[in-house]
Amino acid sequence: MAFPTLNDIKFALIRIKSFIHRTPILTSSAINQIAGCEIYFKCENFQKVGAFKARGAANAVMKLSEEERAKGVATHSSGNHAAALARAAQVIGIPAYIVMPSNAPEIKKKAVRGYGGEIIECEPNLMARETTLEKVVKETGATFIPPYDYMDVVEGQATCALEFLDDQPDLECLIAPVGGGGLLGGTALLAHYWDPEVKVYGAEPKGADDAYRSLKAGRIIPQTNPQTIADGLLTSLGDINFEIISRYVKDILLATDPQIIEAMRLIYERMKIVIEPSCAVPLAGLLANKEQFKGKKVGIILSGGNVDLGKLPF
Amino acid sequence: MAFPTLNDIKFALIRIKSFIHRTPILTSSAINQIAGCEIYFKCENFQKVGAFKARGAANAVMKLSEEERAKGVATHSSGNHAAALARAAQVIGIPAYIVMPSNAPEIKKKAVRGYGGEIIECEPNLMARETTLEKVVKETGATFIPPYDYMDVVEGQATCALEFLDDQPDLECLIAPVGGGGLLGGTALLAHYWDPEVKVYGAEPKGADDAYRSLKAGRIIPQTNPQTIADGLLTSLGDINFEIISRYVKDILLATDPQIIEAMRLIYERMKIVIEPSCAVPLAGLLANKEQFKGKKVGIILSGGNVDLGKLPF
């Protein structure tokens, strides 16, 4: 498997630069005091569409040939990738077909439609999603852009760590949440090229710990019946990302839901920023493993801020 | 009445600079589209103690003589000024005595104690607050630093607009919330010195519109029985601030509670930042008076982010 090189990732950043924000890095002396280390937060909750997913989707769409572009892009997702792909397509004026389960929240559908995406509803199960997507692709000739297990998407997500280490070169550790592994894979790859001494950690809810178990087992163990508030991290690891993560990630930090909620509250109260539950998992994982990070300079990627404000867990 | 000069305000900023954040200015293309103008948000919710009040308190404390400092400072407040004064005193290592009603929320007391302030509880009425404060001042010799009707506090709050116009010199209008009027007074004064063409507006909840009524009447009409979610804006205008505001503020924009909640939600959802209800009043006032601001460059001061997350109105 040929991974993107450092140059590939640098070119990806140039490619998508005018379509995304270079997100700010924030710090909180109050949280540093609690954590016993120096934390830098890369705020992808301020990213376009409210999540890092804007990077991978933009990169994948921009890399299509002219012929492919003309036919548009398609995916199945009810999360941030759906909105990110719809927006990336809108920016360059091509159609985006988004297969969504019929029971997806209205707010998610509204976001996709707001970016000009065409929603195709299907029964709320994986089989229906896949067959519906297949049908859409057949009919339209659109290119399927998967949410994470796709090289151009991973390359795009890697631009986040590139900006991060460029702005804050003295980081000793990086922590990213892990669901399908696109962000963690991209982060680990970039950090490895940047400086193999930078330790990269994934952070995962205890109730959806397939990456943790897969890494221990040395093979992908699919996630079944995930139980966690971190609803962006329910999926199983992708093949590409498993390859990268098993090579370049030092460890997966686990956090329970109460720990995730506590970390989420800390970020709202002390940093005054809005994040989604999945986004609090790295801080929760760090706080659950304080001694490992004592006195270190740690970079945390805050992955997104799309949360139903009526359902905050506090 | 001798108001602080432009030089006084510039010196105040130098005086307090190392004790406060130079807060960032954020924009949101989504909100601009809704508003029909170009809005710049000065984020005092990211300020030390989570509110602009850190400025006035720091300035007042730093201006005390050495003799006065030795005896400490005192105030009665259950809001952001209490925490701001306790912190300012802690920074220079002097005592702060904070008179608080016995029914003040535990979280407010905790904040004051967290900054090393000494809380003196009293019955929850204005009379008890004043007599208790008087007693504390008599016994300790501490200097009373009022929350808004105090020249050094107004001078400190004015540093916010100084930074704002320094970073974004092409603003045509400024909007600040108005309760006691310290922030609006300081903003109006600074804008007047900076460029009298910059129009300054106050923004006030309809359910606590004493500044609006006072300005129309040409005299202070005290606020009685305020009814609004914007709990930082319940107080009546101070004398000093009434003087400044009646000279230099163009108008007071009013907003109903549903409009305030809607603006608050917009800021959470679109900007991904945490603000308190009072802080949403300027955007609510602007949206209720869109035609006045059409196509203009408008600066809004986001005053603070100290909100009970368990009681968000959505």
Side-chain angles (χ1 to χ4, degrees), chain A residues 26 29 45-46 48-50 107 265 267-269 271-275 305-307 309-312 314, chain B residues 26 29 45-46 48-50 107 265 268-269 271-275 305-312 314:
Chain A
L26 298 184
S29 51
N45 56 328
F46 294 155
K48 288 285 180 191
V49 313
I107 191 167
R265 179 194 277 274
I267 289 172
Y268 274 67
E269 285 188 349
M271 299 178 66
K272 311 293 182 195
I273 62 176
V274 172
I275 59 165
N306 295 324
V307 62
L309 291 169
K311 291 187 183 158
L312 291 180
F314 32 71
Chain B
L26 299 184
S29 52
N45 55 328
F46 294 156
K48 288 286 181 189
V49 313
I107 190 166
R265 177 193 278 275
Y268 273 68
E269 284 188 351
M271 300 179 65
K272 311 293 183 196
I273 61 176
V274 171
I275 58 166
N306 294 324
V307 62
D308 184 341
L309 291 168
K311 291 187 182 159
L312 291 179
F314 31 72

Side-chain angles (χ1 to χ4, degrees), chain B residues 44-289:
Chain B
E44 291 291 298
N45 55 328
F46 294 156
Q47 188 51 271
K48 288 286 181 189
V49 313
F52 74 90
K53 298 269 183 182
R55 297 175 183 269
N59 191 51
V61 164
M62 305 288 291
K63 286 182 89 169
L64 295 176
S65 70
E66 228 165 290
E67 205 175 321
E68 287 167 330
R69 285 187 191 192
K71 293 177 179 161
V73 288
T75 200
H76 58 78
S77 159
S78 54
N80 288 326
H81 177 63
L85 189 66
R87 176 182 172 267
Q90 185 183 45
V91 163
I92 63 164
I94 66 173
Y97 307 98
I98 314 290
V99 174
M100 277 180 132
S102 51
N103 61 353
E106 192 46 45
I107 190 166
K108 302 278 181 183
K109 295 183 191 167
K110 214 176 131 190
V112 167
R113 277 193 220 105
Y115 294 116
E118 185 179 318
I119 294 172
I120 298 98
E121 292 199 4
C122 69
E123 292 297 304
N125 62 65
L126 188 60
M127 170 80 98
R129 280 163 75 145
E130 287 177 352
T131 54
T132 309
L133 177 69
E134 214 174 311
K135 196 162 153 264
V136 168
V137 166
K138 210 173 214 169
E139 282 173 15
T140 60
T143 303
F144 170 38
I145 312 284
Y148 48 86
D149 201 20
Y150 190 71
M151 213 58 97
D152 292 342
V153 167
V154 175
E155 184 180 277
Q157 317 307 27
T159 61
C160 178
L162 176 58
E163 288 179 4
F164 204 175
L165 285 165
D166 192 32
D167 286 344
Q168 204 66 45
D170 53 353
L171 293 176
E172 298 163 269
C173 316
L174 283 178
I175 314 178
V178 55
L183 178 64
L184 180 58
T187 302
L189 201 57
L190 186 281
H192 166 71
Y193 295 138
W194 189 270
D195 178 355
E197 292 295 301
V198 176
K199 293 185 183 68
V200 176
Y201 297 81
E204 202 173 32
K206 263 208 174 116
D209 64 347
D210 64 298
Y212 178 82
R213 288 181 290 118
S214 300
L215 231 65
K216 298 293 169 209
R219 63 187 167 83
I220 295 183
I221 299 177
Q223 181 64 49
T224 52
N225 193 25
Q227 298 290 345
T228 173
I229 190 180
D231 57 0
L233 307 178
L234 306 181
T235 47
S236 305
L237 269 188
D239 293 326
I240 296 174
N241 301 315
F242 176 74
E243 283 296 317
I244 302 175
I245 290 169
S246 34
R247 285 191 213 187
Y248 303 128
V249 165
K250 186 173 161 59
D251 205 356
I252 306 286
L253 309 169
L254 295 178
T256 63
D257 272 22
Q259 289 169 333
I260 294 168
I261 293 168
E262 180 54 28
M264 189 175 170
R265 177 193 278 275
L266 264 180
I267 291 172
Y268 273 68
E269 284 188 351
R270 302 307 181 125
M271 300 179 65
K272 311 293 183 196
I273 61 176
V274 171
I275 58 166
E276 55 194 66
S278 309
C279 183
V281 178
L283 178 60
L286 182 155
L287 293 176
N289 294 275

Side-chain angles (χ1 to χ4, degrees), chain A residues 72-85:
Chain A
V73 287
T75 200
H76 59 78
S77 159
S78 53
N80 289 326
H81 177 64
L85 190 66

Side-chain angles (χ1 to χ4, degrees), chain A residues 5-84:
Chain A
T5 65
L6 180 57
N7 258 341
D8 290 337
I9 299 168
K10 284 184 175 173
F11 274 118
L13 185 54
I14 293 168
R15 185 180 299 121
I16 65 176
K17 211 170 194 170
S18 52
F19 305 108
I20 60 159
H21 291 306
R22 186 168 185 118
T23 50
I25 296 166
L26 298 184
T27 61
S28 161
S29 51
I31 294 179
N32 286 347
Q33 213 170 349
I34 292 165
C37 60
E38 211 174 298
I39 309 178
Y40 296 80
F41 293 94
K42 172 81 170 159
C43 292
E44 291 291 297
N45 56 328
F46 294 155
Q47 188 50 271
K48 288 285 180 191
V49 313
F52 74 90
K53 296 269 183 182
R55 296 175 183 269
N59 190 51
V61 164
M62 305 288 291
K63 285 182 89 169
L64 296 176
S65 70
E66 228 165 290
E67 207 175 321
E68 287 168 329
R69 284 186 192 193
K71 292 177 180 161
V73 287
T75 200
H76 59 78
S77 159
S78 53
N80 289 326
H81 177 64

